[in-house]
Amino acid sequence: GHGETRGHSEMRGHSEMIQHHLEQLTQHLKLSEEQRTQAQTLMRTHAKEVIRLTAEIDTMRLDMPPLLEADPVDMAKVKQLLQTLAAKEADLRLAHLTAMQDIRKLLTPEQQKQFRPMQSQMMAHGMMGHDGRMGHDGRMGHEKMKRGPKAQ
C-alpha cells in the first residue's frame, strides 16, 4: 500500500530541499567547506522550526470548521483563532527571513552580492519547502530557475 510512505516522503522532502539549496549555494557562491557546514546546520535548524510552525498552523486550521458550524457562531472565538493563525503565519515568514539573514552572515561581501538574487528565489520556494504542503512539491519552480540567469 502507498499509505505508509506518505509521512516519510514529507520528511525526505525537507532534507532533499536542504540538499538542493545547499548545492546551489555551494556552486553559485563557491562556499568553503566551513561555510557549507555552517549553512547546512542553519538550514536544518530552520527546517525543524518550519515543520513545527507549519504543524501548529495546520492544527489550528482544523479548529475553524467546528467553530463556524456552531449555532450561533461564537465570533469572539473565531476572531481569536484567526488572529492566532495570522500571528503564527507571520512567525513562519519571519523564520524564513531570519534564516536568510543568518546565511548571509556566513558569507563574504562578494558572496553576499551574488546571494541577493538567489535569496528571493529561495524565499519563493519557501526555502524549506513550506509550500510543498499545497500539493505541488516545488519541482516546477526549479526547472524555471535553471533556465535563465536573468538576475545578473
Side-chain angles (χ1 to χ4, degrees):
H2 289 291
E4 316 86 288
T5 53
R6 274 195 84 106
H8 293 301
S9 71
E10 182 74 1
M11 286 314 303
R12 213 187 62 227
H14 280 283
S15 34
E16 277 176 6
M17 200 73 178
I18 292 171
Q19 272 321 110
H20 174 79
H21 285 308
L22 206 54
E23 292 311 318
Q24 279 199 313
L25 287 173
T26 306
Q27 285 169 3
H28 288 285
L29 306 178
K30 312 274 183 280
L31 295 185
S32 70
E33 200 47 54
E34 189 187 356
Q35 283 178 319
R36 193 191 149 93
T37 309
Q38 290 175 317
Q40 190 172 32
T41 307
L42 275 174
M43 285 177 175
R44 283 202 181 121
T45 308
H46 173 64
K48 285 177 193 170
E49 193 180 358
V50 167
I51 292 168
R52 186 179 56 78
L53 282 168
T54 304
E56 285 178 26
I57 291 167
D58 285 345
T59 308
M60 278 183 215
R61 286 205 177 118
L62 290 175
D63 292 336
M64 189 55 87
L67 285 181
L68 298 177
E69 285 156 19
D71 188 17
V73 171
D74 183 341
M75 288 311 285
K77 274 191 181 151
V78 170
K79 181 179 175 182
Q80 191 185 3
L81 183 58
L82 284 173
Q83 286 174 333
T84 313
L85 257 173
K88 285 282 173 210
E89 284 172 347
D91 285 347
L92 193 58
R93 289 228 167 79
L94 268 171
H96 286 315
L97 291 166
T98 307
M100 290 299 161
Q101 293 310 308
D102 288 346
I103 289 174
R104 263 192 75 128
K105 286 178 200 150
L106 305 175
L107 306 176
T108 65
E110 193 46 51
Q111 286 171 325
Q112 285 183 8
K113 274 211 274 294
Q114 295 169 310
F115 181 56
R116 207 165 286 133
M118 293 178 70
Q119 206 171 333
S120 54
Q121 286 177 334
M122 286 170 82
M123 283 299 288
H125 288 283
M127 171 135 168
M128 300 304 171
H130 161 58
D131 315 65
R133 296 177 311 146
M134 307 314 285
H136 56 239
D137 58 359
R139 242 175 238 130
M140 264 166 34
H142 296 317
E143 302 319 308
K144 278 209 301 285
M145 271 164 48
K146 285 197 199 86
R147 268 214 305 280
K150 69 166 179 13
Q152 264 72 46

